Amino acid sequence: MIKDRNFDDLAQKFAENIYGTAKGQIRQTVVWQDIEQILAALSSVSPLSVLDAGGGLGQLSQKIASLGHQVTLCDLSSEMLTLAQQEIAKNGLLEQYRLVHCPVQEIGEFLPEPVDLVLFHAVMEWLAEPIEVLTGLLENVKPGGAISVMFYNYNGLLFKNLICGNLTHIEQGMPHRKRFKLQPQQGIKPDDVYQCLTDAGFEIMGKTGVRTFHDYMQNFRVGDYSFEQVLDMEQKLCRQEPFLSLGRYIHVYARKPFAEETSMTTTNTNTNNSNKDKG
């Protein structure tokens, strides 16, 4: 049975193995390009109020804070929050931050009002009820605000097991292998995430595959290449199909319409239906 994962026991290892690697560098690079698009879309508001939900060390939110925006970072792990505070202090950004020790599901109790931007990165795959939690977070986004969601891709996990020949594991439903402590507990189906966003009235602004081929290369280790070439090629392919949908992670970002936009859409729909009736 899947339970929400607390990283108190692995905070340091998690930081080293995820952020201090080529995988982490690729993730940071391609997702930050998307974040720049989000910030440009929200440029009429400054400073932005930002929620980094289950934010860990807050690697990307620190880049946002360095631009003058205000960030609330919450995490279930007190150890991870301690590491985050150390990193934030080292970068001179403590005045831009508020750190909250709580599960993502309870962060609404600590927010005086909805925020302009929510970051929800690499958290869903560690939760027992990921879609329910995402649905709850969407309620904490202001009209006109945006959410940035990165999740461990079920399709990428399936493809990885296929090319590794793990067919029996696939037939068993790809259960989590507990001996791999940093491997996410489950893959999230992209369509479930997209549907959750659109059902809540959000407009999807963009999608990006995170590590569309890098991780698969490790099974073969042939050819002549540098990391710089890999990073460049990842950036070229990450927003193109079919590569996007095979990324080990997928980053999707969406915007919540202003009330008047929702009202206008409803009015137009009603008008169109009325005209159809008359026809």
Side-chain angles (χ1 to χ4, degrees):
M1 181 178 177
I2 294 176
K3 298 180 180 179
D4 290 1
R5 184 67 163 90
N6 185 320
F7 283 98
D8 273 347
D9 58 330
L10 288 171
Q12 188 64 51
K13 185 175 182 180
F14 190 93
E16 293 171 355
N17 287 21
I18 301 299
Y19 297 117
T21 63
K23 290 181 179 183
Q25 189 171 342
I26 293 169
R27 175 197 289 190
Q28 296 290 98
T29 299
V30 299
V31 175
W32 179 250
Q33 291 172 339
D34 290 347
I35 296 294
E36 289 181 317
Q37 296 298 314
I38 298 171
L39 295 178
L42 302 179
S43 60
S44 61
V45 180
S46 187
L48 294 171
S49 57
V50 181
L51 169 62
D52 197 352
L57 298 185
Q59 295 278 24
L60 284 175
S61 66
Q62 286 189 60
K63 295 185 73 170
I64 296 174
S66 71
L67 300 175
H69 304 297
Q70 296 292 323
V71 180
T72 297
L73 185 153
C74 77
D75 205 282
L76 180 61
S77 167
S78 59
E79 293 297 322
M80 194 68 79
L81 279 178
T82 297
L83 292 176
Q85 185 173 27
Q86 293 170 358
E87 288 293 311
I88 293 166
K90 185 172 68 176
N91 293 324
L93 296 170
L94 277 179
E95 291 186 1
Q96 307 295 119
Y97 268 85
R98 183 166 67 110
L99 301 179
V100 180
H101 181 214
C102 77
V104 172
Q105 295 92 323
E106 297 176 7
I107 187 57
E109 300 174 16
F110 298 89
L111 297 175
E113 61 180 3
V115 298
D116 299 301
L117 173 61
V118 172
L119 307 182
F120 193 38
H121 293 172
V123 180
M124 294 184 71
E125 55 271 15
W126 300 103
L127 299 174
E129 302 291 346
I131 297 299
E132 287 186 17
V133 176
L134 174 60
T135 300
L137 278 179
L138 295 177
E139 297 176 1
N140 292 298
V141 180
K142 286 181 182 178
I147 188 165
S148 164
V149 184
M150 185 177 72
F151 58 91
Y152 191 58
N153 178 19
Y154 175 89
N155 296 332
L157 176 62
L158 175 59
F159 189 61
K160 176 76 169 180
N161 278 290
L162 285 169
I163 63 176
C164 289
N166 295 328
L167 304 191
T168 300
H169 183 59
I170 294 171
E171 290 170 350
Q172 294 171 342
M174 297 189 298
H176 180 238
R177 291 170 168 172
K178 293 183 179 179
R179 67 181 183 274
F180 302 129
K181 292 185 178 181
L182 292 180
Q183 180 181 333
Q185 296 179 155
Q186 60 182 320
I188 307 297
K189 293 182 178 180
D191 285 346
D192 290 346
V193 177
Y194 306 153
Q195 190 67 51
C196 179
L197 293 170
T198 55
D199 283 350
F202 281 65
E203 179 185 355
I204 293 177
M205 301 165 66
K207 304 171 185 173
T208 297
V210 181
R211 305 202 310 266
T212 61
F213 68 88
H214 169 271
D215 294 19
Y216 307 118
M217 293 171 66
Q218 311 311 305
N219 297 319
F220 305 103
R221 295 187 180 278
V222 295
D224 180 24
Y225 61 88
S226 65
F227 173 71
E228 288 71 24
Q229 287 176 301
V230 172
L231 182 59
D232 181 63
M233 192 64 71
E234 284 281 2
Q235 292 177 77
K236 289 178 179 177
L237 299 177
C238 66
R239 296 173 184 90
Q240 300 178 32
E241 293 291 4
F243 312 104
L244 187 166
S245 291
L246 290 176
R248 296 311 304 281
Y249 288 79
I250 288 179
H251 180 239
V252 55
Y253 49 108
R255 192 166 187 184
K256 185 174 187 175
F258 288 102
E260 57 266 29
E261 293 174 348
T262 304
S263 175
M264 187 178 301
T265 301
T266 302
T267 300
N268 289 339
T269 301
N270 291 338
T271 301
N272 290 336
N273 289 338
S274 176
N275 289 337
K276 287 179 183 178
D277 292 340
K278 293 176 181 177

